[in-house]
Amino acid sequence: MSDHDRVVFDLKGYLVKPAVLSQNEIEVIREFTLRQKNNPQSLSPHERYLPGGPFAQLIDHREVMNVLLNVIDPDPEKIRLENVFLSYRQQGEGEWRPHAGGRTTNPNYAYNFHDGRIYAGMVRVVWELNEVLENKGGTCFIPGSHKANYNIRTNPVKSIDARNSGLWESYGCPAGSLIIFSEAVRHSADFWQNSQSPRVAIFCAYNHINVRHHKPDFKPEVIEQLAPKHQRFFREVYHPQFD
């Protein structure tokens, strides 16, 4: 993780890494993921659900790990992947539902900086498999809100949460780009406004090995067929002091 990216992530709460994947990688993963969505019965049982299929190669993608090792834990054995889902939206589809933001003692969402290092709770990794036009449906953020002192989670000021408040920002990026953000930053989905192509994005939730947010719902047959280096991301939660 470069010093620039480290400062931006700490300042804003999110990063945009454009054009991380090659055109061939994009096409293979997008086609297979849409097949999982539209015709899963055409696939083997262990490929019908994420993270099965070619997407598995992105679990420990170098650009992802470069960030997670700097903001979750420097030991890759202590990083978990606890949720993966496809976000698919046609023109006009979506919602506006701001959530998270501000300081918290909940270890799943807490964001801290201590002794020269970031300590983030859950970190979302988003793979955008189609082009995203700026302010036309990508995930939106209130930059810096992961360190806000006022409680904007349970008592948000309505004028702040309004899409046109002037506080929200989003991004534009080519297909194959990577968005990484702290779950602690206030963020929201938006309405997709690209008539040329749908939004096809894969959302991943990474966390530390000693905490869990989502209920386990991965299909055992999917995890069992992953390469050992990827299976380790789905281990049970425990405290590393017992290693």
Side-chain angles (χ1 to χ4, degrees), residues 110-183:
Y111 184 93
N112 296 290
F113 188 93
H114 177 72
D115 197 21
R117 180 179 171 84
I118 295 169
Y119 292 89
M122 188 189 303
V123 176
R124 293 279 183 184
V125 168
V126 185
W127 291 98
E128 298 283 6
L129 299 179
N130 275 339
E131 181 185 18
V132 179
L133 304 177
E134 188 168 2
N135 292 314
K136 298 292 184 180
T139 303
C140 298
F141 308 97
I142 297 182
S145 56
H146 57 307
K147 297 187 288 185
N149 289 303
Y150 288 99
N151 190 339
I152 58 175
R153 297 184 311 280
T154 58
N155 296 293
V157 178
K158 290 184 178 180
S159 60
I160 289 176
D161 271 350
R163 181 66 178 89
N164 62 355
S165 67
L167 298 173
W168 291 88
E169 66 180 44
S170 190
Y171 52 88
C173 63
S177 296
L178 179 62
I179 317 301
I180 305 177
F181 65 93
S182 166
E183 186 71 17

Side-chain angles (χ1 to χ4, degrees), residues 26-142:
I26 296 166
E27 291 173 359
V28 168
I29 295 171
R30 182 174 56 211
E31 178 182 349
F32 199 94
T33 303
L34 292 179
R35 189 174 168 192
Q36 288 177 325
K37 174 183 182 295
N38 297 318
N39 190 18
Q41 298 305 314
S42 67
L43 300 168
S44 300
H46 68 278
E47 295 181 317
R48 293 175 185 172
Y49 308 94
L50 290 169
F55 170 78
Q57 301 305 314
L58 302 186
I59 290 173
D60 60 348
H61 191 282
R62 64 184 181 281
E63 291 285 355
V64 172
M65 297 306 296
N66 281 343
V67 176
L68 300 184
L69 292 171
N70 278 272
V71 305
I72 292 183
D73 199 289
D75 183 352
E77 296 297 319
K78 295 182 175 64
I79 297 174
R80 297 179 63 248
L81 175 54
E82 62 173 43
N83 182 256
V84 184
F85 68 90
L86 171 69
S87 176
Y88 180 89
R89 289 182 183 144
Q90 295 279 7
Q91 168 82 359
E93 293 180 340
E95 62 178 347
W96 182 254
R97 188 175 61 85
H99 55 286
R103 299 179 185 275
T104 175
T105 57
N106 186 327
N108 278 295
Y109 308 116
Y111 184 93
N112 296 290
F113 188 93
H114 177 72
D115 197 21
R117 180 179 171 84
I118 295 169
Y119 292 89
M122 188 189 303
V123 176
R124 293 279 183 184
V125 168
V126 185
W127 291 98
E128 298 283 6
L129 299 179
N130 275 339
E131 181 185 18
V132 179
L133 304 177
E134 188 168 2
N135 292 314
K136 298 292 184 180
T139 303
C140 298
F141 308 97
I142 297 182

